[in-house]
Amino acid sequence: MAAAWAVQAIPMESTEIIFSIIAIAICVGASAFFAGAETAVTGISRARLFSLIQDGNARAKKIGELHKNKESLIGALLLGNSAVHILGSALAAGLAIKLWGEEGVFYASAIMTVVVVTFGEVLPKTYAILNSERVSLRVSYLLWGICWLLRPFVRVVQWIDYPFLRLLGVHDGMDKSLVSGTDEIRGAIAMHHHEGEVEKEDRDMLGSILDLSTRSLSEIMIHRSKVE
């Protein structure tokens, strides 16, 4: 009788271990999704996104809707990523304790740190940086749905965070940029010139276009004595 029970217990324990490993893998995959989506959506070129929206790209329109409220977007991504991190770590700790006893907590922490950092953070973010447009468009509908589902939880977190932000002197939302559009264009021109992609003459010409509203007529006129 005892032998029969032992024989039945072994497959049950093996099945439980397999399900735990699958659940941990799903959590790591979800973490990779959130990390890659955050990097891609926040890193996609605004000019390129605007061009795709003008061309009628439905996926780009979803990304554009998410960009209109970046605070909720980032909040939902961080909330989802934190949730799967905690769940995956808890499952790994439980599995390690069953396999190695109390020392398993240390093993689980070490293994999960390597796995999460490598496959849940660095790898997806690196890929997303190199393929921001492709990744953004692929995850647009799924990401929009996740943000919609997590919106109530994000608002609760924001309601808790806002008093602390005010204590730190932050009164404006994340969606309000501190850099004007003109300054952003100037920065882009200077960056491309520094990288050697824009010649000095082109940089000066583009910069002068941005200064036209502050130029006086005398600065651009040529005296008649110098006209040939």
Side-chain angles (χ1 to χ4, degrees):
M1 190 96 173
W5 178 83
V7 171
Q8 292 178 356
I10 292 175
M12 289 292 291
E13 185 178 352
S14 300
T15 303
E16 186 177 353
I17 292 174
I18 292 173
F19 277 121
S20 296
I21 294 174
I22 293 174
I24 293 170
I26 292 174
C27 289
V28 174
S31 175
F33 168 81
F34 284 116
E38 177 187 358
T39 301
V41 173
T42 57
I44 188 173
S45 168
R46 292 169 56 189
R48 177 57 180 165
L49 181 63
F50 179 79
S51 176
L52 291 171
I53 293 174
Q54 292 297 105
D55 292 339
N57 190 305
R59 293 181 177 272
K61 290 180 179 179
K62 289 297 182 183
I63 299 299
E65 292 177 12
L66 294 174
H67 271 214
K68 291 179 181 178
N69 193 353
K70 281 189 177 180
E71 189 174 3
S72 296
L73 169 63
I74 299 300
L77 290 171
L78 291 177
L79 183 62
N81 205 6
S82 299
V84 295
H85 274 179
I86 294 171
L87 179 58
S89 298
L91 291 172
L95 177 60
I97 290 173
K98 289 180 180 179
L99 294 176
W100 300 300
E102 295 182 358
E103 296 179 357
V105 175
F106 172 78
Y107 299 141
S109 300
I111 294 172
M112 285 301 293
T113 298
V114 174
V115 171
V116 170
V117 170
T118 303
F119 299 102
E121 294 289 339
V122 176
L123 182 61
K125 286 188 175 183
T126 302
Y127 181 81
I129 289 173
L130 299 175
N131 304 275
S132 58
E133 180 182 331
R134 182 189 305 174
V135 174
S136 297
L137 297 179
R138 284 184 177 180
V139 304
S140 57
Y141 285 108
L142 179 57
L143 187 58
W144 188 89
I146 291 174
C147 290
W148 184 82
L149 288 174
L150 295 179
R151 186 180 302 172
F153 303 99
V154 173
R155 287 183 177 176
V156 171
V157 173
Q158 291 173 345
W159 180 77
I160 296 172
D161 286 345
Y162 280 156
F164 294 98
L165 290 174
R166 293 190 184 97
L167 290 175
L168 296 173
V170 179
H171 300 286
D172 295 330
M174 293 173 59
D175 295 333
K176 295 183 179 180
S177 176
L178 299 177
V179 182
S180 66
T182 302
D183 291 335
E184 188 174 349
I185 294 173
R186 290 183 192 277
I189 294 172
M191 180 189 70
H192 288 296
H193 170 66
H194 179 73
E195 294 176 351
E197 298 177 6
V198 175
E199 299 294 334
K200 181 179 183 301
E201 294 77 9
D202 296 331
R203 182 201 64 180
D204 295 340
M205 179 189 67
L206 294 171
S208 65
I209 293 173
L210 298 175
D211 295 330
L212 279 179
S213 61
T214 60
R215 295 288 183 185
S216 62
L217 190 60
S218 60
E219 292 183 80
I220 61 174
M221 290 184 64
I222 300 176
H223 194 271
R224 63 182 180 179
S225 63
K226 298 181 180 180
V227 175
E228 297 180 1

